[in-house]
Amino acid sequence: MAVLWLVLLVSLSAFYLGVFIWAVIQHFLIVEIPSALEHPVKFRFLHCVMLYIIALGNILEKMRICSMLRFIQFFYDLMVIKKNHNLVVTNMRFGTIPVRLFQPKAVSLELRRGIIFYHGGGAICGSLDSYHNLCSFLAKQTDSVVLSVGYRKLPDHHHPCISKDCLNASIHFMKNLMTYGVDPSRVVACGESIGGGAVALVTQALLNFPSLPHICAQVLITPVMQVINFRLPSHQQNQNVPFLTKDILMTVVCKYLDIDLSWKDALFNGTYMPPDTWKKYRKWLSSDNIPRRFKSKSLLPEFSGPFNEAAYLEIKHISDAEISPLLVNDKIIAQLPEAFLVTCEYDPLRDDALLYKKRLEDQGVPVTWYHVEDGFHGCITLFDKQLFSFSCSMKIANAVASYIKGI
């Protein structure tokens, strides 16, 4: 019996080691590490671990043991939650939507600022737990009441569950601000990655509820703002930069929007887009709107391939302002509150925020822009991970807190 256990142990060890070696080989075959990024060895290690987890998830899914997405979610939620003795943290539900409220313990003689936070994670990972420490940090540093929204996500839920849950939770919170000690004139919507896109969608949608208090500022951290033009400079320049490589980004977009993965290339190359439709959106989504400093000489043209009508019929629903908040008309943009936009140089979504910045500024909406030269997508989630943190992580967390404190 002891021999059998030893053989099993050795076999499992060899299996896990083999998968990790495969992940390391994949990393070095597909990944580009920009020279300006600090701690390249740490960066490579973290990406290898990510590929390792994805590979194990795929194996378990093929063995019908566990879906790959749930396996990733399990690992992502293993983040250590740090208890802050200066805050009261309450788990609640607004209807069926789980939310977490962070309230400073110290007595305040006046109503506090409110922050509604929508987490990132590409509709796959990300949760109330994995963003707990960031919300706790914002509540403590800004002396604000923070509401974190735990929206539904993959694999069971697709578009429009994120925007719908975020909007419904926000409406409920806005109707009961006094209950939570929040000043109705100082409510901020804040989000990261897909949560940043939710900030734009919710802020736009709340214009239809004039009886509610108004959002006074929107904070968008490396947001996804559109799923139409994947040939922007940042997409081309950073398509092989972790942790949001081209393959991961396109897979996430297709899964959340319920698009068959066979259309990934048509979506990325833009061949699904009829020329007349592109003419309509070009004024908002073209790389012509991106500052010259962010463009390299080797950029490929946008939507240069032949039109693929079959692809268009399958994925034409993505040309919707409820998916891409960059597509709303100027009248709506002009009514939006001031914005704080965070971009990272080595993020494929960098230019989404730059396009939104231009749209807001063109309509007279005040914008504060914070660009991180050594930043990459998702780096803010590592701000408190000590050994695995980067200076850009803390820079963004501090910049966001500093801006909110000024409101």
Side-chain angles (χ1 to χ4, degrees):
M1 181 65 74
V3 174
L4 286 175
W5 278 110
L6 181 61
V7 170
L8 179 61
L9 181 62
V10 171
S11 299
L12 284 174
S13 299
F15 167 73
Y16 289 125
L17 178 61
V19 174
F20 188 75
I21 291 172
W22 178 88
V24 172
I25 292 172
Q26 280 290 102
H27 166 84
F28 281 98
L29 285 176
I30 65 175
V31 159
E32 297 172 8
I33 305 296
S35 58
L37 283 179
E38 65 172 356
H39 308 309
V41 174
K42 178 165 61 176
F43 194 70
R44 287 186 182 279
F45 173 75
L46 288 173
H47 187 246
C48 287
V49 170
M50 186 181 87
L51 291 178
Y52 176 61
I53 292 170
I54 292 173
L56 286 177
N58 277 321
I59 291 170
L60 291 175
E61 186 168 89
K62 288 176 181 176
M63 294 174 68
R64 299 182 184 278
I65 296 174
C66 172
S67 80
M68 185 262 287
L69 296 182
R70 294 202 187 283
F71 186 72
I72 292 173
Q73 290 167 358
F74 168 76
F75 268 90
Y76 202 80
D77 284 339
L78 292 178
M79 303 283 189
V80 176
I81 292 178
K82 297 178 180 178
K83 188 169 183 179
N84 191 314
H85 297 286
N86 297 311
L87 299 173
V88 176
V89 180
T90 309
N91 289 315
M92 302 183 291
R93 283 186 177 270
F94 289 170
T96 59
I97 307 166
V99 298
R100 186 169 294 172
L101 191 70
F102 299 78
Q103 295 172 293
K105 282 184 179 178
V107 176
S108 176
L109 297 177
E110 57 185 26
L111 295 173
R112 284 188 164 95
R113 184 189 302 104
I115 303 172
I116 308 175
F117 187 86
Y118 315 123
H119 66 75
I124 293 178
C125 46
S127 65
L128 295 177
D129 286 345
S130 59
Y131 280 77
H132 178 101
N133 295 344
L134 179 57
C135 289
S136 179
F137 172 84
L138 292 176
K140 180 174 179 290
Q141 293 297 315
T142 67
D143 191 35
S144 302
V145 175
V146 176
L147 179 82
S148 182
V149 180
Y151 53 75
R152 292 168 294 168
K153 52 187 183 289
L154 295 168
D156 299 324
H157 305 284
H158 302 266
H159 171 77
C161 66
I162 293 179
S163 56
K164 184 179 291 186
D165 286 358
C166 289
L167 176 61
N168 289 337
S170 300
I171 290 173
H172 184 98
F173 185 63
M174 300 287 274
K175 286 180 177 179
N176 298 279
L177 293 177
M178 301 300 286
T179 304
Y180 307 113
V182 173
D183 182 347
S185 68
R186 293 196 300 158
V187 180
V188 179
C190 178
E192 188 257 349
S193 190
I194 197 168
V199 168
L201 289 167
V202 169
T203 307
Q204 292 170 8
L206 285 175
L207 296 176
N208 296 316
F209 297 86
S211 62
L212 291 176
H214 299 298
I215 297 291
C216 72
Q218 49 181 328
V219 177
L220 296 86
I221 307 165
T222 60
V224 53
M225 299 298 296
Q226 55 89 32
V227 291
I228 291 176
N229 187 358
F230 291 102
R231 306 282 276 190
L232 289 164
S234 61
H235 283 289
Q236 295 190 43
Q237 295 159 358
N238 300 308
Q239 59 181 309
N240 294 317
V241 176
F243 292 90
L244 191 61
T245 59
K246 167 191 168 183
D247 184 60
I248 289 177
L249 175 61
M250 301 314 297
T251 299
V252 165
V253 169
C254 287
K255 283 187 176 293
Y256 179 60
L257 297 179
D258 208 14
I259 296 170
D260 192 274
L261 292 176
S262 63
W263 300 112
K264 274 200 307 184
D265 288 340
L267 182 59
F268 184 80
N269 295 324
T271 54
Y272 75 93
M273 176 72 72
D276 289 344
T277 305
W278 173 236
K279 286 180 182 178
K280 176 183 175 182
Y281 296 133
R282 181 184 179 91
K283 61 181 177 180
W284 296 328
L285 302 180
S286 170
S287 59
D288 294 341
N289 296 312
I290 304 300
R292 185 172 298 177
R293 61 175 278 208
F294 294 111
K295 299 177 185 178
S296 65
K297 294 180 180 179
S298 58
L299 291 177
L300 298 172
E302 297 166 314
F303 302 98
S304 58
F307 171 54
N308 185 335
E309 186 175 4
Y312 170 71
L313 294 174
E314 287 290 330
I315 60 180
K316 61 183 178 181
H317 62 286
I318 69 171
S319 302
D320 187 331
E322 292 188 3
I323 296 174
S324 299
L326 264 170
L327 301 183
V328 296
N329 61 50
D330 290 343
K331 184 179 179 181
I332 292 176
I333 293 287
Q335 298 177 69
L336 296 176
E338 64 175 88
F340 183 75
L341 302 178
V342 177
T343 56
C344 290
E345 181 67 24
Y346 302 109
D347 179 5
L349 302 183
R350 178 197 68 201
D351 293 349
D352 280 27
L354 294 179
L355 291 175
Y356 196 51
K357 174 178 178 288
K358 185 177 188 305
R359 287 219 63 196
L360 291 169
E361 290 176 336
D362 285 350
Q363 297 304 312
V365 178
V367 176
T368 303
W369 173 43
Y370 185 76
H371 182 65
V372 187
E373 294 287 352
D374 60 344
F376 52 90
H377 192 79
C379 63
I380 192 174
T381 61
L382 301 170
F383 85 103
D384 66 331
K385 300 304 180 287
Q386 298 175 342
L387 182 62
F388 297 116
S389 187
F390 295 78
S391 62
C392 58
S393 309
M394 203 66 224
K395 282 183 205 171
I396 296 175
N398 284 331
V400 170
S402 177
Y403 172 79
I404 292 175
K405 275 197 291 189
I407 295 172

